[in-house]
Amino acid sequence: MARRIGVFVCHCGVNIAGVVDVERVAEELRKYPGVAFATTYQYMCSDPGQNLIRQKIEEENLDAVIIAACSPAMHEETFRSVCKEFFNPYRCEMANIREQCSWVHDKKEATEKAIKLVKATVEKLRGNEDLMPIFVPIEKKCLVIGGGIAGIQAALDIADAGYKVILVEKEASIGGRMAQLSETFPTLDCSQCILTPKMVAVARHPNIKLMAYSEVIDISGYVGNFDVKILKKPRYVDEDACTVCGDCEKACPVIIPNEFDMEKKPRKAIYIPFPQAVPSTYTIDREACLGLAPLTCAQCKDACEANAINYDMQPKIVEERVGAIIVATGYDLYDKNKLVEYGYGEDDDIITSLEFERMLSASGPTGGEIIKPSTGKVPKKVVFIQCAGSRDKQHMPYCSSICCMYTAKHALLYKHHVPDGEAYIFYIDIRATGKNYEEFIARVMEEERINYIRGKVAKIYREGDKIVVWGVDTLTGKKVEIKADLVVLAMAIVGRKETKEIAKLLKVAVDDGNFLKESHPKLKPVEALSRGIYFAGCAQSPKDIPAAVAQASAAASKVLAIFSKDKLEKDPLVAVVDEDRCSGCGVCVSICPYGAMQRQPNGKAKCIEALCEGCGTCAAACPSNNIEMRNYKDEQIEKMIEVIV
Amino acid sequence: MSFEPKIVAFLCNWCAYAGADMAGTSRLKYPANVVPIKVMCSGRVDPEFIIDAFEKGADGVFIGGCHPGDCHYVNGNYRTRRRVKMMKKLLEEMGINPKRLRLEWVSATEGQKFARVIEEFVNEIKELGPSPWRK
């Protein structure tokens, strides 16, 4: 137990010292039992600050230290590693007198509270035991959820480094949103052409286990050792046997809309979402199929020479243990039915950006021709509306980040298809912050003669065979009315609803847009608050392809950092059972969420340290008070309460 | 002099404590009557701590945990919720207004919520006056 505590109060420039009387804090603490030394310094985290701690530990013969400074989330590691040179790191504690004191209180109350906070920390520290870290094994295998460009990139990076990856994709093929795009800004290279080599690389990589048409249904465990259950949905077609000849598709009598083409092109009940799909195989849509039985239809089965069709295929649950998880579940478009001002998107000639994207694609519903859906004719006047649902308090308050760029691309491609057509773009601001993006916008505005109108659209309605768009040009202050053939809405981007479900399984927060909450918005943008879980792509926030790829590689490098070690250090702040006094009631065994509390043959409970996460629920529940949390003991907390009140 | 209540706050490491840090980073002012004790999970808050705090003279006890379903430790916050419900009944029988014990879900992003609920709680305790157990 600590007998000679040193207290170091940080000024943090004026961040703390501007509000808290740091000299008084040090003075008060000098008088407090157990404190042998107290001082203040401008910046404790600086090199000279750290050296001051080293010097005083030696000079004053200190056996424990308290740093009264910022939140332990910022610098606990820093100071504990300094102390490690002299004694056990658990002889170092921080008192948070910045985030939870000087930044939130006025001068007169802050000093008193700071003194209480430091005194309470002294009481905690006096009860601390010397602890050694617990080491747990790591399963060097990564789960990547989502097979869009972000998931693909992350999987390839980790697999290339020599580790196993399980890539789970809900849809029949990987590729995600990027596979649906025609050309990509600002270079206008063909999306499929740059994506498909990566998709094929995933399929062929010996370190990647691709599980398409599968869903993650359960996740438990912790960093290094997550236990995952994956539901493999039945395709009713043997992936390996299918030769993709297409005979089954020709035979199938059921015609329904293809989701991949935003439901603007038909497909059969047995289908391949798009020609370059990976894995390259047909899938039977269970909902649409006439019966999955030889008696009801079986025309596909009769047509299949490879004998790949099996109506008896069953859903399968695959269990895997992985050391790290990357979530790359992508985005959806905001529901256009919620946009009352744009006629709820019910009119055939008012389409979303992704529908327009499919129209531009050579493999899309129109074979790459731009048409007015209600008549099939070439539209001579097209209005593009940016921020449809974005930057709007009634819908999504944030900027969807990519719409300015793809709308410019859409307008340009329209002009290339229909040189005598007129294109109008309604915008609030143009945000073109990526590399060569501004130049691309300038080119579209100047060379392609697209009419950019700064302002929002108030109303859209049908008049005969035209769509009338009412808006205001805020630069001239005049009302604008355009009778258009086609209206394209640049819909807001939202996180997929499945992201929310996955986040629940992972205990990760999502925001109002269904985007995953990162550990720190600036310094830890790819990490979840819980170790071993990382994010990539639009699941975290709207972003363009280069940013999604960069984030995926960043997430992969985080995983590789974990896999580079043989054992993982784990906090030793675990539960300890006083076996002599344990009555064997089993309350702790039943409530422990990790199964760390186990009943021994003698009936008494024992904590398995490698499994214990240190929450302390058992300690609070034990009816005879026989469970203690290391360094969060009842006695410590009760003494802290005493100081505070 | 006006009554300045003494309030102990148990904040879970993953949500409420981080939320309180967020309030700091965003420089949101709130009364200094609340002094926090960090616990790993709100589920660590032993009912004894609550009684102990009132016995030692606290005018209020605040517990901050993760939102339901978001507990870092799977379900510790559900246990907290049940315990707080039980404790409120018990406190009432012991002559302490159950309003003096408050449980709030504060996520790591909710600095604003943290500052708001602390201010609300302090005002509420000020209205209730000093705890009857206060020496």
Side-chain angles (χ1 to χ4, degrees):
Chain A
M1 199 213 245
R3 295 215 164 84
R4 291 185 60 78
I5 298 173
V7 176
F8 298 84
V9 188
C10 181
H11 297 212
C12 195
V14 291
N15 279 308
I16 295 170
V19 181
V20 171
D21 182 348
V22 285
E23 294 305 335
R24 236 201 90 211
V25 176
E27 195 185 305
E28 284 294 319
L29 265 294
R30 268 180 220 121
K31 297 182 226 158
Y32 200 73
V35 177
F37 173 81
T39 189
T40 72
Y41 189 71
Q42 278 255 301
Y43 291 102
M44 287 311 308
C45 60
S46 66
D47 266 352
Q50 294 181 34
N51 284 332
L52 178 72
I53 300 172
R54 288 189 184 95
Q55 183 197 335
K56 292 297 169 193
I57 289 175
E58 290 196 317
E59 275 178 22
E60 304 286 334
N61 200 19
L62 305 176
D63 62 1
V65 297
I66 288 172
I67 321 294
C70 50
S71 169
M74 297 293 296
H75 274 306
E76 193 174 74
E77 288 257 343
T78 315
F79 295 120
R80 285 204 165 151
S81 59
V82 171
C83 293
K84 238 193 254 183
E85 298 166 20
F86 303 92
F87 37 69
N88 189 282
Y90 289 93
R91 286 171 180 254
C92 171
E93 287 281 350
M94 287 189 76
N96 183 349
I97 60 165
R98 192 179 74 173
E99 279 84 345
Q100 299 189 10
C101 189
S102 71
W103 276 352
V104 288
H105 302 315
D106 296 330
K107 274 187 177 176
K108 61 178 191 322
E109 27 175 53
T111 305
E112 291 312 311
K113 179 167 168 181
I115 293 169
K116 276 188 183 177
L117 280 167
V118 185
K119 284 182 177 173
T121 312
V122 172
E123 292 305 335
K124 162 133 198 328
L125 180 59
R126 273 146 64 98
N128 272 7
E129 284 172 57
D130 289 351
L131 300 176
M132 299 306 282
I134 298 166
F135 289 95
V136 290
I138 311 167
E139 187 65 46
K140 294 186 182 182
K141 195 192 272 183
C142 183
L143 170 70
V144 178
I145 308 172
I149 181 60
I152 288 173
Q153 184 64 45
L156 285 173
D157 284 355
I158 296 166
D160 282 344
Y163 297 103
K164 298 279 179 201
V165 177
I166 302 162
L167 177 59
V168 176
E169 167 58 51
K170 180 172 71 74
E171 303 293 340
S173 166
I174 57 170
R177 292 290 180 206
M178 190 176 167
Q180 291 179 291
L181 309 181
S182 57
E183 279 92 348
T184 52
F185 60 79
T187 49
L188 297 183
D189 38 1
C190 151
S191 185
Q192 289 263 358
C193 313
I194 53 176
L195 176 66
T196 45
K198 283 189 182 282
M199 290 165 61
V200 174
V202 164
R204 288 172 36 168
H205 207 297
N207 282 340
I208 299 179
K209 177 174 171 182
L210 174 59
M211 294 183 69
Y213 213 51
S214 301
E215 287 173 34
V216 174
I217 54 168
D218 190 43
I219 301 168
S220 58
Y222 51 93
V223 58
N225 297 276
F226 291 104
D227 288 311
V228 183
K229 285 191 183 136
I230 304 157
L231 174 74
K232 205 167 163 35
K233 295 179 280 188
R235 282 182 196 266
Y236 306 102
V237 178
D238 183 340
E239 285 178 28
D240 299 325
C242 177
T243 59
V244 209
C245 64
D247 289 346
C248 56
E249 189 178 3
K250 282 180 212 127
C252 179
V254 184
I255 297 171
I256 57 161
N258 191 359
E259 305 81 355
F260 183 80
D261 285 300
M262 305 309 288
E263 310 206 333
K264 297 291 179 198
K265 191 182 172 182
R267 69 161 168 84
K268 298 291 186 69
I270 187 162
Y271 71 109
I272 182 161
F274 53 101
Q276 305 92 326
V278 170
S280 184
T281 177
Y282 273 84
T283 303
I284 295 180
D285 181 340
R286 192 195 159 94
E287 302 294 314
C289 176
L290 292 178
L292 284 170
L295 283 175
T296 35
C297 172
Q299 294 191 44
C300 56
K301 194 173 166 68
D302 294 341
C304 182
E305 280 181 20
N307 218 356
I309 294 172
N310 171 10
Y311 295 140
D312 297 325
M313 220 178 249
Q314 294 296 319
K316 213 164 88 185
I317 291 173
V318 179
E319 292 185 25
E320 292 276 0
R321 174 165 280 199
V322 296
I325 298 173
I326 294 176
V327 190
T329 40
Y331 71 90
D332 258 331
L333 295 186
Y334 186 66
D335 185 359
K336 71 176 174 181
N337 293 322
K338 288 183 183 162
L339 292 176
V340 53
E341 57 273 45
Y342 303 150
Y344 299 106
E346 271 172 6
D347 199 296
D348 283 347
D349 295 337
I350 303 174
I351 65 174
T352 67
S353 40
L354 266 177
E355 286 165 359
F356 191 68
E357 200 74 50
R358 288 313 297 152
M359 207 187 257
L360 290 168
S361 169
S363 64
T366 58
E369 293 304 316
I370 297 172
I371 59 156
K372 179 179 165 72
S374 62
T375 60
K377 288 185 189 150
V378 176
K380 293 292 181 190
K381 220 179 241 188
V382 180
V383 172
F384 296 90
I385 301 174
Q386 292 192 179
C387 301
S390 306
R391 301 183 67 190
D392 186 335
K393 280 187 181 152
Q394 288 177 351
H395 301 290
M396 290 298 163
Y398 52 82
C399 166
S400 290
S401 170
I402 59 171
C403 324
C404 288
M405 291 308 297
Y406 73 62
T407 300
K409 176 193 79 178
H410 284 170
L412 177 145
L413 292 173
Y414 167 70
K415 286 291 279 183
H416 286 190
H417 278 74
V418 189
D420 63 335
E422 287 174 46
Y424 296 86
I425 297 178
F426 280 92
Y427 70 100
I428 306 179
D429 299 290
I430 295 294
R431 294 178 170 177
T433 56
K435 192 173 182 180
N436 295 329
Y437 286 10
E438 183 60 29
E439 295 90 323
F440 181 75
I441 294 279
R443 173 184 158 197
V444 171
M445 281 183 174
E446 290 155 20
E447 288 176 28
E448 307 293 341
R449 300 194 182 191
I450 310 293
N451 303 295
Y452 270 84
I453 302 168
R454 188 177 193 277
K456 281 211 90 168
V457 169
K459 196 177 174 187
I460 308 178
Y461 62 95
R462 178 167 279 277
E463 196 178 275
D465 70 334
K466 300 283 181 194
I467 304 286
V468 184
V469 178
W470 272 8
V472 178
D473 183 339
T474 54
L475 295 179
T476 60
K478 291 207 172 99
K479 259 172 71 178
V480 182
E481 185 184 304
I482 301 166
K483 292 194 165 125
D485 294 308
L486 180 67
V487 173
V488 181
L489 303 174
M491 300 298 298
I493 281 178
V494 293
R496 278 183 180 264
K497 64 177 191 303
E498 293 88 348
T499 305
K500 208 172 179 177
E501 291 158 21
I502 298 284
K504 276 259 177 239
L505 295 178
L506 289 166
K507 311 290 168 205
V508 171
V510 292
D511 63 17
D512 294 340
N514 265 356
F515 297 113
L516 295 159
K517 167 78 189 127
E518 62 286 319
S519 181
H520 190 283
K522 292 166 203 114
L523 301 178
K524 291 185 174 176
V526 305
E527 289 114 309
L529 211 55
S530 315
R531 273 177 83 198
I533 300 166
Y534 306 97
F535 309 141
C538 289
Q540 184 245 346
S541 70
K543 51 176 72 70
D544 56 21
I545 295 167
V549 170
Q551 198 184 20
S553 289
S557 80
K558 293 281 169 193
V559 171
L560 295 178
I562 292 184
F563 289 177
S564 68
K565 294 176 192 134
D566 286 325
K567 290 207 161 172
L568 218 53
E569 213 176 282
K570 189 170 163 291
D571 239 345
L573 304 175
V574 295
V576 184
V577 183
D578 181 345
E579 279 192 43
D580 293 338
R581 288 169 56 207
C582 174
S583 66
C585 68
V587 167
C588 56
V589 178
S590 67
I591 70 164
C592 177
Y594 302 100
M597 278 295 174
Q598 294 184 3
R599 203 190 276 271
Q600 302 180 87
N602 65 6
K604 300 193 177 204
K606 186 182 164 75
C607 172
I608 311 296
E609 290 188 348
L611 295 177
C612 178
E613 287 288 287
C615 65
T617 307
C618 56
C622 177
S624 42
N625 246 339
N626 287 334
I627 302 176
E628 280 294 9
M629 300 311 297
R630 284 212 171 126
N631 291 356
Y632 279 97
K633 285 181 277 201
D634 285 11
E635 197 193 333
Q636 284 173 291
I637 292 174
E638 281 161 13
K639 284 209 168 132
M640 289 174 88
I641 295 172
E642 199 171 325
V643 172
I644 291 169
V645 294
Chain B
M1 208 178 91
S2 68
F3 162 60
E4 286 299 335
K6 291 175 180 176
I7 296 168
V8 181
F10 296 99
L11 307 180
C12 84
N13 182 52
W14 303 96
C15 296
Y17 193 88
D21 274 355
M22 188 66 165
T25 315
S26 322
R27 311 295 200 280
L28 302 166
K29 298 273 178 216
Y30 57 87
N33 307 67
V34 174
V35 183
I37 294 179
K38 184 174 84 174
V39 285
M40 293 312 280
C41 177
S42 62
R44 171 71 182 104
V45 182
D46 195 323
E48 276 185 30
F49 297 163
I50 300 166
I51 299 281
D52 190 54
F54 284 117
E55 253 179 8
K56 285 176 175 152
D59 300 299
V61 173
F62 179 91
I63 302 173
C66 305
H67 282 267
D70 292 346
C71 177
H72 183 78
Y73 300 106
V74 187
N75 55 14
N77 55 354
Y78 290 126
R79 308 212 176 266
T80 315
R81 184 162 63 183
R82 279 194 239 167
R83 282 178 196 144
V84 166
K85 210 168 178 185
M86 172 200 71
M87 284 307 294
K88 277 179 176 274
K89 277 188 189 161
L90 200 64
L91 287 173
E92 198 163 17
E93 282 182 22
M94 295 164 97
I96 297 250
N97 190 324
K99 281 185 183 167
R100 292 184 187 275
L101 171 62
R102 181 154 174 170
L103 170 66
E104 286 285 349
W105 312 128
V106 181
S107 84
T109 57
E110 291 175 327
Q112 266 183 328
K113 181 176 181 186
F114 183 80
R116 177 173 56 79
V117 294
I118 292 295
E119 183 150 11
E120 271 174 27
F121 189 47
V122 171
N123 289 338
E124 201 168 78
I125 300 288
K126 276 187 178 168
E127 265 176 40
L128 291 174
S131 157
W133 288 9
R134 200 163 164 172
K135 285 154 206 155

